[in-house]
Amino acid sequence: MIQIYVNCWAVLAGAIANMGLGFVWYGPLFGKQWVAMMGWSKEAMEKGRAKMQKEGWKTYLPAFVGSLLTSFVLSYGVLFVSNFFVTTGISVGLMTGFWAWLGFVVPVTLSTVLWEGKSWNLWFLNASYYLFSLLIIGAIVPAFE
């Protein structure tokens, strides 16, 4: 029987990296394009910005909990694959992150285009973020082993 012990520091580091990536991805890197693709007006953005300044923790706290969950589950997956194939290193983390993205994120997020009428460009931007997020977490986990 395989015993898997997830490193809590790896999970925390992965969650922090995920939040940092999201800040940069949807801010300085692609923020303007994302806002335009979402179809938000300047007024809506200003209203949202004011709300975030007052109550931002109500958004960031559950987002961080979600990041912790993502990091924990991917860490478990990386360690399982590593033990199953008796291999270690960053390549295991990157492979696990990629396959998790392809098998779970891609099919689930396609509904935004197929049923919600969002653009393929928006889907690509969001899906790319999830890919990089899972790859970063996947690279962090082996570093703590």
Side-chain angles (χ1 to χ4, degrees), residues 2 4 78-87:
I2 297 174
I4 297 177
V78 168
L79 295 172
F80 178 80
V81 169
S82 182
N83 283 315
F84 187 78
F85 289 107
V86 193
T87 186

Side-chain angles (χ1 to χ4, degrees), residues 19 51-65:
M19 294 294 289
K51 183 177 180 182
M52 286 299 289
Q53 288 174 344
K54 287 171 60 177
E55 302 176 348
W57 67 272
K58 290 181 181 179
T59 301
Y60 281 103
L61 182 61
F64 185 67
V65 170

Side-chain angles (χ1 to χ4, degrees), residues 35-75:
V35 168
M37 286 185 246
M38 291 295 291
W40 293 341
S41 66
K42 280 190 176 187
E43 295 81 25
M45 286 301 298
E46 290 302 319
K47 189 176 181 180
R49 186 172 292 125
K51 183 177 180 182
M52 286 299 289
Q53 288 174 344
K54 287 171 60 177
E55 302 176 348
W57 67 272
K58 290 181 181 179
T59 301
Y60 281 103
L61 182 61
F64 185 67
V65 170
S67 291
L68 282 170
L69 183 61
T70 299
S71 186
F72 174 79
V73 171
L74 190 64
S75 295

Side-chain angles (χ1 to χ4, degrees), residues 37 110 113-114 118-125:
M37 286 185 246
L110 279 176
V113 175
L114 302 175
K118 301 292 184 184
S119 71
W120 281 104
N121 288 337
L122 179 60
W123 177 83
F124 183 77
L125 179 70

Side-chain angles (χ1 to χ4, degrees), residues 16 24 26 74-75 80 82 91 94 108 110 117 127 135 138 140:
I16 291 169
V24 172
Y26 292 105
L74 190 64
S75 295
F80 178 80
S82 182
S91 63
L94 294 174
V108 169
L110 279 176
L135 291 176
I140 287 172

